[in-house]
Amino acid sequence: MRMSHYFLPTLKENPKEAEIVSHRLMLRAGMIKQTSAGIYAWLPLGHKVLKKIEQIVREEQDKAGAQELLMPTLQSADLWRESGRYDDYGEEMLRIKDRGDRDLLYGPTNEEMITDIFRSSVRSYKDLPKNLYHIQWKFRDEIRPRFGVMRGREFLMKDAYSFDLTADDARHAYQRMFLAYLRTFRRMGLRAIPMRADTGPIGGKLSHEFIILAETGESEVYAHKDWMEKDTTAGGLSYDDKEKIGEFFEEMTSLYAATDEMHDASACPEGDLIKARGIEVGHIFYFGTKYSEAMNATVQNKEGEIVPVEMGSYGIGVSRLVGGIIEANHDDNGIVWPESVSPFDIGLINLKPRDEACSKACDDLYEKLKEQGKDVLYDDRDTQAGGKFADMDLIGLPWQVVIGPRSAEKGMAELKNRKTGEKQELSLESVVERMAA
Ligand code: ATP
Ligand code: MG
């Protein structure tokens, strides 16, 4: 992408409405624009990151055996009357009437709708287990939307729902998702700690929040210090290995970590305990038959009896993660994207677009990198070098390639690693080789 064509409205000044660094940097890097309180338009750069995160979430859900579908944002109030949550949910729910005076709502979550989809076709234990998910916008009329996309009113969530015959099977489904979550966050370069959590208004039996530590986190959390080094992805462990997944879950949950509400200091030696602030990026629940009983979602078991299905639900805050990843990866000059979610692979800076030889070297390199399948943001604007460096650091692509008239003459370029700041003089061919590797 040529920057001269790209819609990238960066800001030099810090917007005063932004209280935390990720919000500031997302506005300054031209990733989002607020359209109403807690509601954002995703501009091209922000949209690319959102899609990358969404894709990692999708791939890891698929690997764990969940199946993607897509439910609508608008739901009928009647479904929520069946579960009893239409009244319980309160002011956070955005309620709407259609022209026929029917009550609708903008979904804050989808337990009721998925239960309805399930019950309309599944009749037998032979159709179980199932895990269905979608990645869809939610609306919650938060009392205090703040911190940009971290606590929005409209936000993108991945929500999965598991259906099993027995409580044992349902616990296994929960454990698989637990592993899938740890793998998902690790791929984004995040260390997310699963913490025992309260089941809250979703209700139920077992729940973990996945929390990344950051000074700006909204909640106080407690964890054993060993979490900071622990390998949490269980490399090589297959989703088919029920027993080993159970063991992995036991191992992970035996190391202390808890949200504020669940914290019990006697469970962890004081000297090993870290008290920190955290951002909730995911939340999983095993709630049993709460919805299936209320909504009559039943199957016939092996003995021919009709029983309600055992359910769990599993959320990931896809749009919140964009802010969360920035909270965990930035410096004084701007964002420092992990490669897996970076909006482009490489930023190419042409220091002197009016210089013919310099532009030719840049244009050639741009084409060659694209041939290698690299997504390149090419700063070909005829503007001051200082501003170009600042913009490139601000938007935080992992690699920068800088070419000026003098280096172009020698067939050289400067390669800079955004994270370490390390710079290297390389021939243009070596740049292509290095980036392709
Ligand atoms: P919180 O405690 O932060 O209000 P929650 O517990 O109400 O979140 P869940 O119902 O568990 O949220 O939703 C699943 C995930 O969706 C959360 O883990 C979080 O990452 C994300 N999420 C929830 N509310 C918001 C919001 N207002 N803006 C952005 N993401 C959100
Ligand atoms: Mg939650």
Side-chain angles (χ1 to χ4, degrees):
M1 173 61 65
R2 282 177 184 266
M3 218 137 145
S4 57
H5 298 180
Y6 199 42
F7 186 67
L8 184 68
T10 57
L11 305 174
K12 286 208 178 55
E13 304 298 325
N14 272 326
K16 48 183 180 316
E17 73 268 27
E19 293 171 62
I20 63 170
V21 65
S22 59
H23 189 195
R24 258 194 314 271
L25 289 173
M26 286 182 75
L27 291 169
R28 284 194 48 208
M31 294 176 66
I32 50 168
K33 155 125 179 51
Q34 183 177 312
T35 60
S36 312
I39 304 180
Y40 292 86
W42 292 79
L43 307 183
L45 193 77
H47 184 247
K48 280 191 100 163
V49 177
L50 188 68
K51 288 286 152 186
K52 289 234 167 144
I53 293 172
E54 183 183 317
Q55 187 56 21
I56 292 175
V57 171
R58 173 177 290 117
E59 286 170 15
E60 294 301 321
Q61 289 292 292
D62 292 348
K63 282 185 205 161
Q67 299 174 43
E68 187 170 10
L69 47 68
L70 184 59
M71 293 177 267
T73 53
L74 293 184
Q75 306 186 22
S76 155
D78 287 339
L79 278 178
W80 288 69
R81 292 194 175 102
E82 275 191 63
S83 72
R85 281 208 294 181
Y86 191 61
D87 295 325
D88 291 354
Y89 218 94
E91 300 261 62
E92 272 196 16
M93 182 184 278
L94 181 65
R95 296 153 207 263
I96 304 162
K97 272 194 195 296
D98 69 10
R99 69 208 299 172
D101 211 31
R102 283 172 290 255
D103 292 317
L104 298 174
L105 57 99
Y106 193 131
T109 178
N110 283 59
E111 280 81 8
E112 283 79 358
M113 186 176 279
I114 198 78
T115 304
D116 181 49
I117 290 171
F118 178 89
R119 72 178 171 187
S120 65
S121 63
V122 179
R123 296 279 171 268
S124 161
Y125 73 92
K126 290 178 194 154
D127 297 319
L128 299 178
K130 284 280 173 295
N131 188 324
L132 303 172
Y133 76 96
H134 72 161
I135 301 172
Q136 178 62 293
W137 295 92
K138 305 288 184 289
F139 194 94
R140 295 182 186 173
D141 204 350
E142 299 274 356
I143 196 160
R144 259 192 87 197
R146 57 188 179 148
F147 303 157
V149 300
M150 299 261 263
R151 183 166 297 285
R153 293 198 296 164
E154 190 186 45
F155 60 95
L156 190 60
M157 195 204 288
K158 183 284 300 180
D159 39 326
Y161 303 89
S162 63
F163 300 89
D164 286 275
L165 180 62
T166 67
D168 249 15
D169 293 346
R171 255 189 290 273
H172 175 60
Y174 183 91
Q175 293 171 358
R176 283 165 82 106
M177 278 291 121
F178 182 93
L179 173 57
Y181 272 43
L182 288 172
R183 289 178 169 168
T184 302
F185 298 127
R186 211 61 206 115
R187 270 185 70 183
M188 299 170 191
L190 294 173
R191 184 169 282 285
I193 304 175
M195 303 197 175
R196 272 305 290 266
D198 207 5
T199 51
I202 305 266
K205 307 179 167 175
L206 184 58
S207 173
H208 285 88
E209 284 179 11
F210 291 76
I211 305 262
I212 58 173
L213 305 185
E215 279 163 31
T216 51
E218 284 189 290
S219 50
E220 198 152 69
V221 293
Y222 299 83
H224 192 285
K225 64 172 171 32
D226 286 358
W227 278 112
M228 300 323 290
E229 284 118 51
K230 208 161 179 61
D231 172 21
T232 55
T233 53
L237 176 51
S238 152
Y239 284 110
D240 296 329
D241 198 335
K242 198 168 175 169
E243 207 168 303
K244 287 244 169 60
I245 287 180
E247 285 166 17
F248 173 76
F249 179 76
E250 292 306 325
E251 185 202 328
M252 288 294 130
T253 50
S254 65
L255 189 59
Y256 188 73
T259 59
D260 197 26
E261 304 87 32
M262 300 293 281
H263 177 54
D264 168 14
S266 67
C268 179
E270 205 54 53
D272 292 341
L273 193 67
I274 304 173
K275 177 180 167 192
R277 301 202 70 80
I279 300 168
E280 179 191 327
V281 289
H283 198 167
I284 62 178
F285 301 87
Y286 162 48
F287 47 72
T289 57
K290 179 179 153 103
Y291 298 93
S292 54
E293 271 186 60
M295 296 180 64
N296 212 15
T298 57
V299 292
Q300 194 167 44
N301 69 13
K302 290 181 188 128
E303 288 75 39
E305 298 155 347
I306 304 293
V307 294
V309 282
E310 292 277 338
M311 291 176 61
S313 73
Y314 314 88
I316 290 184
V318 175
S319 50
R320 176 178 288 182
L321 272 166
V322 181
I325 290 170
I326 295 173
E327 289 294 326
N329 300 278
H330 66 269
D331 62 18
D332 289 346
N333 298 327
I335 304 168
V336 184
W337 290 115
E339 295 198 11
S340 60
V341 299
S342 180
F344 292 90
D345 302 315
I346 303 160
L348 170 60
I349 298 180
N350 181 346
L351 284 180
K352 203 138 204 207
R354 281 190 219 176
D355 182 296
E356 221 172 281
C358 186
S359 284
K360 170 139 187 5
C362 289
D363 289 358
D364 285 353
L365 185 61
Y366 179 52
E367 292 306 324
K368 291 220 173 75
L369 289 169
K370 281 201 292 182
E371 277 165 27
Q372 295 295 326
K374 295 293 153 190
D375 201 5
V376 184
L377 182 62
Y378 175 15
D379 192 347
D380 59 341
R381 296 172 301 174
D382 190 13
T383 54
Q384 294 290 319
K388 293 185 169 196
F389 290 132
D391 273 351
M392 209 48 104
D393 276 354
L394 172 64
I395 65 177
L397 309 180
W399 296 100
Q400 298 175 8
V401 180
V402 183
I403 302 180
R406 250 175 301 157
S407 51
E409 211 173 291
K410 293 183 286 178
M412 304 289 280
E414 185 184 83
L415 179 67
K416 176 175 149 185
N417 180 302
R418 172 68 181 86
K419 186 169 182 179
T420 62
E422 202 184 312
K423 293 176 184 170
Q424 228 184 326
E425 279 277 315
L426 290 175
S427 70
L428 297 171
E429 297 82 61
S430 316
V431 171
V432 178
E433 273 167 34
R434 276 285 295 277
M435 290 296 101

